[in-house]
Amino acid sequence: MDGGGRFPEPPIAAGYAGGDAGTPAPHPGTAPAWGGPARESRLARYLPRFLRPRRSSVAVPIERRMPRHLGMGLAFGFFGLVAGAGFVSGGGYAEMAARSGTPLDMAARALGFGLDKVTISGLVQLRSAEILQAAGIDQRNSLPFLSVVDVRDRLSTVPLIGAVSVRKIYPRELLITLTEREPSALWQRNGEIAVIAADGTVIDQMRDGRFSDLPLVVGDEANLRTKEYLALLEAAGPLKDRIRAGTLVSGRRWTLKLDGIDVRLPETGAREAVARLVKLEAESSLLEKDIIAVDLRLPDRVVVRLTEEGAAARLEAQKKQQKKPKGTET
């Protein structure tokens, strides 16, 4: 207040006792607000975020809160989604994938990660083209998006493959290392011929002439006695190449097929019987005669069956022998 009793500034209403300036006093009988707004704002800084008082939002028009060109973007996105769905449902995507691969594969090839080289090691009977076809690998693949697990699983289903490993060599090479099962013989049953291993396991079906030189066993369970048949072939010595097949009869004994001649072997002592056959052939050329079967099941004799021409010739010779007068010098 100056000397004339005037205030230099407009008076400001003082707050009630204990309150900030300008804070109206509470009505009589009402407890004053503790600390007032200013004190509440100071205390709010020390409270957890979820306990702090929230400011009332300022009303802003919705068009000012939305991003610019949102409607145009949504429209383009909608039409793009419709076009993509039509492309897929109409078969366009499947045709493109069948011709050029998936979009990921195309992108990887464009970046220099195409599958340009496949190295296959361990091939003996199989061919590279068969491996690639079984693995599902062609020029549409790319190295980054080719699953080595899927390739290995596909190749493991090939009966002639015993073990296989697949490894990527960046940027553009795939290495396949495999071990083939060793075919031991052919097994014919019910008119079908299969390639089998030494233990009788079926490796694959006979599809071409690659395995035509393998020994052939015929009959039920003949595959399980392949080792026994191979031992008979070794005992045949010089006759081995003339034996075309071995038929297991009733699961008990073998009958060998030699150039149209059946050689019946005993149930026991089959190798000894084959040795007898080798000796007979060396001494008398038994297998060169007009016979269709040789029975070696009896240990003390050999029974042969003549062909029709041989039987007729033998019968004619016997008749001539009987017609000769007695005492005639021959």
Side-chain angles (χ1 to χ4, degrees):
M1 182 182 300
D2 58 7
R6 295 171 296 185
F7 291 97
E9 296 180 0
I12 300 174
Y16 65 93
D20 293 335
T23 303
H27 294 288
T30 304
W34 181 80
R39 189 166 184 176
E40 288 181 2
S41 63
R42 289 194 299 269
L43 291 175
R45 292 181 299 176
Y46 302 99
L47 294 175
R49 184 179 297 274
F50 68 91
L51 292 178
R52 296 177 187 177
R54 297 182 179 180
R55 296 179 180 179
S56 60
S57 60
V58 180
V60 179
I62 189 170
E63 61 271 10
R64 293 181 59 185
R65 283 186 278 171
M66 299 290 289
R68 296 183 63 184
H69 309 299
L70 177 63
M72 183 179 296
L74 291 175
F76 277 114
F78 173 75
F79 288 117
L81 182 62
V82 172
F87 181 68
V88 173
S89 61
Y93 177 80
E95 182 180 354
M96 180 192 70
R99 183 177 60 254
S100 304
T102 65
L104 293 176
D105 286 325
M106 289 189 288
R109 292 199 306 269
L111 293 175
F113 293 99
L115 186 58
D116 297 340
K117 183 179 180 182
V118 179
T119 302
I120 305 174
S121 62
L123 292 178
V124 179
Q125 300 291 342
L126 292 170
R127 303 185 181 98
S128 299
E130 294 174 320
I131 297 299
L132 295 178
Q133 182 179 3
I137 297 174
D138 54 32
Q139 71 280 358
R140 297 172 298 176
N141 296 111
S142 66
L143 198 62
F145 298 103
L146 181 68
S147 173
V148 296
V149 176
D150 292 343
V151 172
R152 184 175 63 246
D153 290 344
R154 294 190 198 105
L155 292 178
S156 297
T157 62
V158 178
L160 198 55
I161 296 178
V164 60
S165 65
V166 183
R167 184 163 61 94
K168 295 180 180 180
I169 302 178
Y170 281 93
R172 294 182 293 272
E173 184 178 357
L174 187 70
L175 177 61
I176 299 176
T177 304
L178 54 88
T179 302
E180 294 186 10
R181 291 188 177 96
E182 184 176 357
S184 178
L186 301 177
W187 176 35
Q188 180 176 341
R189 184 184 61 167
N190 299 328
E192 297 183 354
I193 300 178
V195 183
I196 59 176
D199 60 354
T201 302
V202 175
I203 296 176
D204 198 0
Q205 295 299 314
M206 184 71 170
R207 306 179 189 278
D208 48 45
R210 281 177 292 177
F211 307 104
S212 58
D213 293 334
L214 292 175
L216 174 64
V217 294
V218 183
D220 293 338
E221 299 184 357
N223 61 315
L224 302 179
R225 298 176 63 173
T226 303
K227 291 183 179 180
E228 180 180 325
Y229 175 68
L230 295 179
L232 295 178
L233 293 181
E234 294 302 321
L239 299 179
K240 176 180 178 180
D241 294 337
R242 299 178 60 179
I243 299 176
R244 301 291 177 243
T247 301
L248 186 64
V249 180
S250 302
R252 297 184 295 106
R253 63 172 189 84
W254 291 97
T255 293
L256 305 181
K257 303 288 186 178
L258 285 85
D259 300 331
I261 301 175
D262 290 347
V263 179
R264 301 183 178 98
L265 301 179
E267 185 174 351
T268 59
R271 294 191 62 176
E272 291 76 8
V274 172
R276 287 173 58 200
L277 179 65
V278 173
K279 184 178 179 180
L280 287 172
E281 177 63 17
E283 294 176 350
S284 60
S285 299
L286 176 65
L287 300 177
E288 309 303 326
K289 303 183 182 301
D290 292 333
I291 60 176
I292 59 175
V294 178
D295 195 338
L296 298 173
R297 288 178 290 179
L298 299 176
D300 58 345
R301 70 187 66 181
V302 177
V303 180
V304 297
R305 181 180 177 185
L306 299 174
T307 63
E308 292 183 2
E309 294 80 3
R314 179 178 176 79
L315 181 60
E316 186 67 23
Q318 289 177 347
K319 289 181 179 180
K320 290 181 179 180
Q321 185 69 25
Q322 292 174 357
K323 289 180 180 180
K324 288 182 181 181
K326 294 183 180 180
T328 304
E329 186 176 336
T330 60

